[in-house]
Amino acid sequence: MAFAKVYPLYVQKAERKNRTKDEVDQVIRWLTGYSQAQLERQIGKGADFETFFAEAPAMHPNTSLIKGVVCGVRVEEVEDPLMRKIRYLDKLVDELAKGKAMEKVLRR
């Protein structure tokens, strides 16, 4: 699955709930350690999720604090490492779209 194709859907979801593309980007950068330029390059080259996460500079050390249910599955119980990272991202975007404060979304 291509991250570059799902990314606009994340942005649309957030914007429908009066959040911004910049906030979605901030969440993605927090999770992965990408700079804005690096994130834009990944999107531009059509990176799939495997490549996107494999090339991520550094997953945030607080990812273990991301808990909850996405699509009926507990994020913290997902065994496949790649799928767990995808679910982390899904969960963060969901929280953003639900109106959570950015400090809470970013586990500060």
Side-chain angles (χ1 to χ4, degrees), residues 13-14 17-19 92-100:
K13 181 176 190 169
K17 301 293 185 167
N18 297 317
R19 299 308 285 254
L92 294 174
V93 172
D94 279 354
E95 290 177 353
L96 186 67
K98 287 180 180 173
K100 267 196 170 180

Side-chain angles (χ1 to χ4, degrees), residues 5-6 10 13 17 32 41 44 56 62-63 68 71 78 81 85:
K5 290 189 179 194
V6 175
Y10 288 145
K13 181 176 190 169
K17 301 293 185 167
T32 62
R41 271 195 297 278
N62 287 349
T63 56
C71 298
V78 175
K85 291 174 185 174

Side-chain angles (χ1 to χ4, degrees), residues 16-77:
R16 279 194 308 267
K17 301 293 185 167
N18 297 317
R19 299 308 285 254
T20 67
K21 174 189 174 296
D22 289 340
E23 288 175 312
V24 173
D25 289 355
Q26 183 180 353
V27 165
I28 294 170
R29 291 191 320 262
W30 176 86
L31 179 65
T32 62
Y34 280 115
S35 69
Q36 186 64 34
Q38 291 170 318
L39 174 58
E40 290 171 8
R41 271 195 297 278
Q42 289 290 329
I43 295 164
K45 74 178 188 179
D48 60 25
F49 273 107
E50 186 172 5
T51 303
F52 178 76
F53 283 114
E55 294 180 357
M59 293 297 287
H60 197 281
N62 287 349
T63 56
S64 63
L65 300 177
I66 303 170
K67 300 187 186 300
V69 178
V70 175
C71 298
V73 177
R74 284 216 148 274
V75 173
E76 61 272 23
E77 294 174 1

Side-chain angles (χ1 to χ4, degrees), residues 76-94:
E76 61 272 23
E77 294 174 1
V78 175
E79 292 188 25
D80 178 81
L82 174 60
M83 187 54 70
R84 186 176 321 115
K85 291 174 185 174
I86 293 168
R87 294 297 184 190
Y88 283 156
L89 182 53
D90 290 345
K91 182 67 177 167
L92 294 174
V93 172
D94 279 354

